[in-house]
Amino acid sequence: MTRSSDDPARRGAWPVSASRPLVHPIQPSVVYVAESPDALDDQYEGRAAGYAYAREGHPNASALAARIDAMEGAAGGVVTGSGMAAVAAVLLGLCRAGDHVLGADQLYGRSLRMLRDDLPRLGIETSLADATDGAAFAAALRPNTRIALIEVVSNPTLRIADLASISEACKAKGVCLVIDNTFTTPRALRPFEHGADIVLHSVTKLMAGHSDATLGYVAARDPARTEAMRAFAITAGLTASPFDCWLAERGLQSFALRYDRAETNAAALADHLAGLPGVQRVLYPGRADHPDHDRAAALLGRRGGTMVSFEVAGGRAAANALVRGARQLAFAPTLGDIATTLSHPPSSSHRGLDPKARAALGIGEGFFRVSVGCEDTETLLADFSQALEAVAGR
Ligand SMILES: *Cc1c(COP(=O)(O)O)cnc(C)c1O
């Protein structure tokens, strides 16, 4: 008979080290062993720090949340298993039947779907308004509007929301203003400094930055709201895995460097594209010909962001030729990767809209959105020249 302590089904002791690891360890444990029922009481009642069950919290989520809190000027933010889990934590964790949610009409596609399909099913009214038109957005607020959800830079036309007017109207009417800061990131804009009540992120994108972790984040200025969202996220199982949090924390260490490099590249690419034959128009908030250039300068400083959109003449055939000709550029519907990715909204994010609705948004078949990465600038510009040559030679 094996001695109890030798039984391989039991875990042995963990090696002791007087020094600590430089890198935060991944702590995948689903459950934590407490000293006693009294000790567990102390934890649950806030007299002692500690974890009990991973869905409720774990060190890798806490470490990641603390880093993003610091960047956003938040406290106690909640890390979620995806950006959409953060959206769900806000909308489902804070609204009740009879409330109204007002969304910007160019939100991320799945956020639009939650407003269109899911909230009404639960008795929550929803409607959309143009966030670039502050007066129209304010006029769409209703007496029962609980939440207004906007993104400051819209996808994929990169229009800039009239944040000052929207924030003022929300404050006057007691509406909770939620900003999805995925595109802008705290490197360009800190929403709490512009009147936001809640900030959320798809950490999957620029913050984690390597397209290998799916995560979100949400924090409210009012701690009671943050706690309500945390409680809902735990109950509904929206929380994140330790491994993804660990990857994102690692990615975040180079976030500022990556962002600045990508932004420099984006500005260069926008100017380069504008001079290439076959390019009908370029949309970049940092360019003087952008429709919201002044607002972009006021909100984002001299920064124009890491996204560039453009339209190539020749419709779908030209779009196919461009993607085939852009051998070095990944054609993939995401953003924020360390390398440049090319997305074609009419066949991906905006395929659910009929062509007329897309045309109204200015998204023709030749429309592309580029998430600019950290490549060598000259190499990147040459890749786009080559892609446009392929279009001309088709
Ligand atoms: C990707 C994205 C989301 C959703 O994030 P996931 O991590 O994919 O769930 C939400 N908002 C914006 C602006 C996004 O780009």
Side-chain angles (χ1 to χ4, degrees):
M1 211 173 86
T2 44
R3 281 180 306 161
S4 174
S5 60
D6 294 344
D7 189 327
R10 296 214 161 116
R11 292 180 179 83
W14 186 246
V16 172
S17 170
S19 50
R20 63 178 175 82
L22 174 66
V23 175
H24 287 166
I26 305 175
Q27 202 144 296
S29 190
V30 165
V31 74
Y32 289 76
V33 180
E35 285 290 319
S36 66
D38 279 353
L40 206 51
D41 276 349
D42 286 346
Q43 265 182 230
Y44 272 116
E45 285 155 29
R47 291 184 296 273
Y51 302 93
Y53 189 69
R55 179 164 36 70
E56 300 172 353
H58 51 75
N60 293 107
S62 302
L64 177 61
R67 298 312 302 153
I68 305 177
D69 285 347
M71 293 163 75
E72 285 291 11
V78 184
V79 168
T80 56
S82 68
M84 281 314 299
V87 173
V90 173
L91 298 177
L92 302 175
L94 298 182
C95 292
R96 64 190 68 222
D99 286 344
H100 169 249
V101 174
L102 178 62
D105 59 4
Q106 283 198 55
L107 289 175
Y108 180 69
R110 284 280 158 183
S111 298
L112 286 174
R113 265 174 99 124
M114 190 174 285
L115 262 58
R116 189 192 66 195
D117 298 343
D118 298 296
L119 297 187
R121 183 167 47 74
L122 301 170
I124 300 164
E125 292 170 30
T126 65
S127 61
L128 303 176
D130 179 359
T132 65
D133 182 343
F137 197 88
L141 294 170
R142 301 177 186 173
N144 60 335
T145 304
R146 182 173 294 263
I147 282 176
L149 172 61
I150 66 167
E151 293 166 26
V152 174
V153 176
S154 76
N155 177 35
T157 59
L158 312 183
R159 296 294 308 270
I160 309 293
D162 184 358
L163 181 52
S165 306
I166 290 174
S167 152
E168 200 180 290
C170 287
K171 186 171 264 172
K173 296 202 172 165
V175 172
C176 171
L177 175 60
V178 181
I179 295 187
D180 178 337
N181 203 29
T182 302
F183 268 49
T184 22
T185 82
R187 194 89 184 133
L189 180 96
R190 302 202 335 152
F192 288 131
E193 293 169 2
H194 295 265
D197 297 294
I198 293 180
V199 174
L200 72 87
H201 279 279
S202 170
V203 177
T204 312
K205 311 289 173 52
L206 282 136
M207 291 237 209
H210 295 71
S211 301
D212 54 12
T214 302
L215 286 172
Y217 165 91
V218 62
R221 206 204 303 254
D222 171 3
R225 274 196 180 125
T226 305
E227 289 321 303
M229 292 189 287
R230 189 191 317 280
F232 180 75
I234 291 169
T235 301
L238 303 178
T239 48
S241 101
F243 184 53
D244 280 351
C245 293
W246 183 85
L247 282 171
E249 196 194 359
R250 186 178 194 268
L252 213 52
Q253 287 185 282
S254 61
F255 164 71
L257 281 173
R258 286 186 286 103
Y259 189 91
D260 290 355
R261 174 56 179 252
E263 186 170 60
T264 302
N265 275 349
L269 178 64
D271 290 343
H272 181 67
L273 284 169
L276 289 180
V279 174
Q280 280 178 318
R281 63 185 179 127
V282 174
L283 293 168
Y284 184 61
R287 273 176 64 87
D289 60 2
H290 187 279
D292 306 317
H293 177 69
D294 293 343
R295 202 180 275 161
L299 280 177
L300 312 175
R302 53 168 191 82
R303 298 172 170 275
T306 63
M307 308 292 291
V308 178
S309 292
F310 68 99
E311 187 151 18
V312 63
R316 177 62 73 99
N320 283 329
L322 188 142
V323 169
R324 291 203 186 97
R327 287 267 162 257
Q328 308 304 319
L329 302 167
F331 176 55
T334 187
L335 66 119
D337 188 64
I338 188 145
T340 298
T341 55
L342 199 56
S343 116
H344 180 247
S347 62
S348 56
S349 55
H350 290 65
R351 66 175 303 122
L353 289 184
D354 66 68
K356 241 194 219 138
R358 280 201 298 266
L361 288 172
I363 308 170
E365 280 294 332
F367 194 100
F368 284 93
R369 187 200 73 187
V370 188
S371 166
V372 182
C374 301
E375 293 92 338
D376 171 73
T377 312
E378 293 310 314
T379 311
L380 182 66
L381 302 189
D383 288 343
F384 276 89
S385 297
Q386 185 195 331
L388 268 301
E389 279 160 26
V391 173
R394 80 183 187 282

